[in-house]
Amino acid sequence: MIGRLRGLLAEVELDHCVIDCGGVGYVATCGSRTLSRLPGPGEEALLHIHSQWSEDQGPRLYGFLTRDERKAFATLLAIQGVGPKAALAVLDVLPPGELASAVAREDKAAVARANGVGPKLALRIVTELKGKPLTEATFTPTAPGVHAEAAVAAPVPSVTGEAVAALLGLGIAEMNARRAVEQALERLGDQADLSAVIRAALQELGK
């Protein structure tokens, strides 16, 4: 079972990308949010992989930029009626932290914004995700009548944390990774996207 791919980004299509690892091209199905945050073709990319096998399609790989996204995807797949396409669509509009917050608020409308997810499926997702961790932190559902601002939600992973995690996945020591990411953010600004921060941090490290 493949859990992670690191290699050169060879191709990016509408619903998948190809990662060249040692001359072998692995096709990873990804959501649009993930695909939009990948580096440019020919650059090194790191994807956390959820592997799935079916008799009619054989092995399928689903790629994510963070472990939290992969975990949320697997949790969504465990819900009846939620297939890979619907799970990716949900994560396109609600990253794990935001999805946890929506579940805590019982915000079915937010989940129903996902392409192909109707009101009934959105209700099932919100109901079945209550109490289930979607990130490394857990969340507590909102009690009836409690204002949404009082909901306890899992924090949204920061660009800094995700960038450091990506560098750690490349075998870079944590101290060096954090220093490089901090230097990259000083140069790019706090609003820089994840892929740009990772590229700049690698430049700081001379890689």
Side-chain angles (χ1 to χ4, degrees):
M1 181 178 294
I2 296 174
R4 190 177 71 174
L5 288 176
R6 184 180 72 189
L8 298 181
L9 183 63
E11 301 175 22
V12 178
E13 302 295 341
L14 289 176
D15 62 352
H16 69 274
C17 65
V18 178
I19 306 293
D20 187 334
C21 301
V24 178
Y26 293 87
V27 178
T29 300
C30 304
S32 59
R33 183 171 175 273
T34 295
L35 292 171
S36 68
R37 296 162 65 200
L38 288 172
E43 297 185 47
E44 188 170 68
L46 172 66
L47 286 179
H48 298 276
I49 298 296
H50 176 90
S51 301
Q52 197 173 61
W53 172 273
S54 64
E55 292 185 2
D56 55 336
Q57 295 181 333
R60 294 292 298 271
L61 305 180
Y62 297 90
F64 307 91
L65 293 179
T66 69
R67 289 187 294 271
D68 281 347
E69 291 171 346
R70 181 179 63 187
K71 182 175 184 178
F73 177 77
T75 305
L76 284 165
L77 287 182
I79 299 173
Q80 183 180 1
V82 178
K85 188 174 182 180
L88 289 175
V90 169
L91 292 174
D92 275 343
V93 299
L94 293 171
E98 294 179 27
L99 177 58
S101 181
V103 170
R105 298 192 309 269
E106 299 184 1
D107 189 351
K108 301 180 290 293
V111 178
R113 284 170 25 219
N115 187 33
V117 176
K120 290 184 178 180
L121 184 55
L123 174 60
R124 183 183 301 159
I125 289 172
V126 168
T127 300
E128 296 200 22
L129 287 183
K130 286 183 180 179
K132 293 182 180 179
L134 298 174
T135 66
E136 294 182 357
T138 58
F139 60 88
T140 303
T142 307
V146 176
H147 194 275
E149 291 181 355
V152 179
V156 178
S158 66
V159 170
T160 300
E162 292 188 50
V164 170
L167 295 182
L168 292 176
L170 297 175
I172 297 169
E174 182 175 359
M175 183 180 298
N176 294 337
R178 290 191 180 280
R179 184 183 302 116
V181 169
E182 289 172 0
Q183 292 171 340
L185 285 170
E186 286 180 7
R187 179 150 52 96
L188 299 175
D190 293 336
Q191 301 304 313
D193 62 41
L194 178 62
S195 60
V197 172
I198 293 173
R199 288 197 298 270
L202 289 172
Q203 289 174 358
E204 295 289 346
L205 292 165
K207 293 184 177 294

